[in-house]
Amino acid sequence: MLQLRKPSGNSRLLTRLSLPIFALIVGIIVVFASAASYILIRVQNEHTQNMAEQSIKFVYRNVWYQFDTMNNVSSFIISSQSIENLLESTYAHGFEAVDDFYTLQSNLQNLSLLSLLKDSSSASTAKQSYVVSVAFGPGSGLYEIASEHFYPATGIYKNEDFFQEAWFQNLSSGERKTVWWGQKTAPLNAPMIYLARTKSSTKDGRSIGTVIVGADTQSIKGVFDNAPLDKGYYMLLDDSNRVIYSERHAFLADASGLPQVQAMHGPKGTSSLRDGGENQRVMFETLDNGWKLLAVVPERHFSRYTFAISAVGAATAAVALLIAGLWLRRIVIRVTVPITKLVTAMQRPEVAEGKEPLHYLDTGIYEVDELHRKFASMLVMMHGLIEKSFAEEIERRQLQLELLHAQINPHFLYNTLDLINCRAILNGDRETSEVVRALASVFRFGLNRGEVWIPLESEMKQVDAYLHIQQMMVDGLQVEIRVPDELLSVPIVHFILQPLAENAIIHGFAQRTAGCRIAISAHMEDTALVLRVADNGQGCDVDAMNAMLRREAEAETDREAGGSTQVSPAGYGTMNVHRRIQLYCGEAYGLRYVEAAEGTCVEVILPYHMERQASRREGHV
C-alpha cells in the first residue's frame, strides 16, 4: 500500500520556501547597502581630506610667495650696482652725502611700495607692502647722517640697535646668510616678520651694510582668510616653534609644548592625536626658510557626513526590504498555495490507498496542473503495478517452494541412506556402509536446516566427510586439516570449503593420478579470519584467477541489473562461493588466489566474530 508522509507544521512549503529566499534577499540588500554606504563614506571622507590638503597647499604657496618676494627684494638690493655705488661712496663732509642719502632712501621707498602678492584685499592705489631698510656701521659714508635708532618703517639706520639681537649675531658670525625672525618693534609694537641679509662689497668682499625687509603679519592674514578651515585653524611657526601667526595663540608664544607641535615628525606629513577630548588631525609642511605651516582639523570634520550617509543607506535598505518582502510573499503564495492544496488532496487515505482517484484542481499554473495530472496517472499505474508484482512474487515463491520440496525431501533421503547402510551391514559390505555414512554426513551438514551462518567446526566436518568419500574414490589422496581449537566456534558463511576442495580435485588433479594432496588450514590475519585450501596439482595463473573473480563479480552485478552476461562453467562453483561471501559479509571479503610453490592456493577472507544470528535461514525445507 502506498504511504505518503504527512508534513509537520514546521515543514510547510510556504515557510521553507519563503524564509531562505527572504534571508537571501536580506543578505543581498544588506551587503549592497553596506557596500554603497562604505564607498560613499570613503569617497566623501577622502574628498574632505583632499580639500583640507588643497587648502594647506594653497596657504603654503601664497605664504611662501610673500616670503619669496621679501627675499627677492633683498636680493635686488644686494645685486643692484647703483645701490652698491651709493653704499660704498665716501665723503669728506657729512653734508656731501645728503643727495646720495635721499637717492637711496627713494629707491628703498619705491621697493617698499611694490606689491607682488596682488592681494585681493589690496586697494587700487599703491600702498606700502614691506618695510625695506639698510643698516650701516661706522665705516660707511652714509653712517653719519643715518637715523640713530631703528624704526619699523622704510629707511636708513645705524646698526647699534642690533648688536645684542640674536639674529644680528648669527648673521655677523657668518653662521647664516639669511636670517628670518618675528618681532614686535617699538614704538608701534606691531607683530612683524623680518628678513635680514648682509650686503658685501663686490670689490673686496667686506661687509658694507645689512639689508632688512619686514612685513606686518596682517599682510599674510588675507592668505589664511582666503582658505578657511571648517572647525579647524592654521599655525605658522618659526624654526624655534614660536608662533608667527595663529588665530588661537599669541604672537611669538612658545608652542613647543603643544601636542599638535609634538606630533610633527619630519619636514612634512600628517598625524593624528587626541587633545581636549577630541580627535584631531595635524597636517604640516616646512617652508624653505625652516618655518612650519600647520593645519589642525578635528577628525569629525572628515567624517561629518558618515552618519547622514549611513542613515540614508539604512533607510534605503529598509524600504527595499519592505518592498522585497511584500513582493516575495505575493509570489510565494501564488506558487505554494496550489501545491499545498495538491499535497493535502494527495494525503487523503482514500487517494493513497487507491480507493478513489485524485480530484482535479484548476490552479491556473500550468506546471502545477501538469504535475497534478501526471501524479494522478502515476498513482493509478503504480497501484496496478504493485498489485501485479505482488501477485507474481507470491506465485514465484510458491513455485520455488514446491520445486524445493520436489527436489529435496530430507526425511526420504536420510531414510533411504539408512536403508542402504543397513543392507550393506547385513551383507557384510563394510566399505559400502562407510561410504553411505559419509554421504549422509555430507547431506546432513550441507542441508543444515537452511541456516546461512554455522560454526567453523560444522563446516570442517562437512568438508572432512566429503574428502573422506573422495579418498575412497582417488587412490593415495592425502588430506591434511589444521584448525586451531579457538577458531572452531567462529561463525562463517555455510558451504564454502567443499566447493573449493571439489574444484581442487576436479581441476587440480586432472592430470595427476598419484601423490595428490589437499591441505586445509585456518588462521587470523589482523581482524579477518582466513581459511586456506591448497593442493599440489597442476596450479593456475594467480593474476588471471583474481582478475576473473573481479570480472565475474561485475558481471553478476550486471545480471542483477538486468544484463545478460554469462558466468563461465569452470568458475561457477568458485564464483558462487565468492559472491555469497560478499553478499553476506561485504565487498571487502571473499576469495583470493595467492602464489604457491606447488599447485594452487586459494584463501577465503571472512570477518572475525561478526555478530550474526546463526539461526537465520534462507528458506525452510
Side-chain angles (χ1 to χ4, degrees), residues 26 36 51 77 120 178 187 302 384 440 491 503 516 522 528 541 601:
V26 169
M51 292 296 294
I77 296 174
S120 60
T178 304
F302 297 100
N503 195 57
C516 300
D541 188 341
C601 180

Side-chain angles (χ1 to χ4, degrees), residues 23-323:
L24 178 62
I25 293 176
V26 169
I28 293 175
I29 292 177
V30 169
V31 169
F32 274 95
S34 301
S37 299
Y38 173 79
I39 293 174
L40 289 175
I41 292 172
R42 185 71 177 268
V43 170
Q44 180 60 44
N45 291 349
E46 290 181 354
H47 175 72
T48 304
Q49 181 172 347
N50 290 335
M51 292 296 294
E53 292 175 353
Q54 291 297 326
S55 297
I56 191 172
K57 289 180 180 179
F58 172 81
V59 173
Y60 175 88
R61 287 194 299 267
N62 284 275
V63 169
W64 180 246
Y65 184 55
Q66 181 162 347
F67 288 176
D68 192 48
T69 302
M70 295 171 63
N71 191 53
N72 290 337
V73 171
S74 66
S75 299
F76 177 79
I77 296 174
I78 291 174
S79 60
S80 176
Q81 187 63 44
S82 61
I83 294 179
E84 182 172 351
N85 293 334
L86 294 174
L87 296 178
E88 289 190 340
S89 298
T90 58
Y91 310 96
H93 303 283
F95 64 87
E96 296 177 355
V98 173
D99 290 339
D100 291 342
F101 178 87
Y102 283 108
T103 300
L104 179 59
Q105 180 79 6
S106 298
N107 289 334
L108 297 179
Q109 189 67 37
N110 291 333
L111 290 174
S112 67
L113 294 175
L114 182 63
S115 177
L116 299 179
L117 282 179
K118 298 181 180 179
D119 190 1
S120 60
S121 63
S122 300
S124 59
T125 57
K127 65 178 183 179
Q128 180 172 310
S129 299
Y130 306 108
V131 173
V132 183
S133 307
V134 178
F136 295 105
S140 173
L142 300 178
Y143 178 81
E144 295 297 332
I145 60 176
S147 299
E148 294 290 338
H149 299 287
F150 179 76
Y151 187 82
T154 299
I156 302 172
Y157 304 95
K158 296 179 180 179
N159 60 6
E160 281 83 357
D161 287 349
F162 305 136
F163 286 164
Q164 303 302 321
E165 298 291 339
W167 64 265
F168 187 78
Q169 295 176 3
N170 291 335
L171 197 62
S172 301
S173 65
E175 184 178 346
R176 295 184 184 180
K177 294 182 179 181
T178 304
V179 180
W180 294 81
W181 76 97
Q183 182 179 343
K184 288 184 177 181
T185 307
L188 299 179
N189 204 31
M192 298 288 292
I193 301 172
Y194 288 102
L195 160 68
R197 297 179 65 180
T198 299
K199 169 59 179 173
S200 301
S201 173
T202 58
K203 296 178 181 180
D204 52 16
R206 61 185 175 83
S207 176
I208 58 177
T210 303
V211 179
I212 303 173
V213 181
D216 195 328
T217 56
Q218 293 298 318
S219 63
I220 64 173
K221 183 177 183 300
V223 176
F224 293 97
D225 292 341
N226 289 334
L229 291 176
D230 188 12
K231 307 297 183 182
Y233 60 93
Y234 292 102
M235 281 199 302
L236 179 62
L237 307 178
D238 64 9
D239 51 4
S240 299
N241 289 330
R242 292 181 300 175
V243 176
I244 300 300
Y245 175 83
S246 175
E247 298 176 356
R248 301 192 177 189
H249 302 281
F251 180 69
L252 295 181
D254 187 6
S256 301
L258 296 178
Q260 291 83 359
V261 177
Q262 294 176 352
M264 295 189 303
H265 300 285
K268 63 182 297 184
T270 301
S271 60
S272 298
L273 57 90
R274 186 171 183 83
D275 182 35
E278 183 180 42
N279 294 325
Q280 295 180 346
R281 187 175 302 182
V282 180
M283 297 174 287
F284 63 94
E285 288 195 43
T286 303
L287 284 74
D288 291 347
N289 63 350
W291 292 10
K292 290 184 175 62
L293 177 64
L294 285 76
V296 182
V297 184
E299 287 286 355
R300 55 185 171 84
H301 173 71
F302 297 100
S303 58
R304 55 183 172 175
Y305 298 107
T306 299
F307 177 77
I309 294 176
S310 300
V312 172
T316 303
V319 173
L321 287 176
L322 179 61
I323 296 174

Side-chain angles (χ1 to χ4, degrees), residues 599-615:
T600 302
C601 180
V602 59
E603 293 183 342
V604 182
I605 312 301
L606 294 168
Y608 179 69
H609 288 313
M610 173 171 267
E611 296 182 359
R612 296 282 187 179
Q613 293 294 333
S615 61

Side-chain angles (χ1 to χ4, degrees), residues 28 86 136-137 277 314 317 381 387 393 399 402 419 453 534 579 590:
I28 293 175
L86 294 174
F136 295 105
M381 184 181 299
E387 292 177 358
E393 183 65 22
L399 292 175
E402 291 176 359
L419 178 60
W453 295 86
R579 286 298 297 157

Side-chain angles (χ1 to χ4, degrees), residues 467-482:
L467 290 176
H468 183 65
I469 296 175
Q470 291 293 340
Q471 284 179 315
M472 295 180 185
M473 299 173 60
V474 180
D475 293 336
L477 176 63
Q478 300 178 16
V479 177
E480 181 182 355
I481 298 178
R482 299 189 307 273

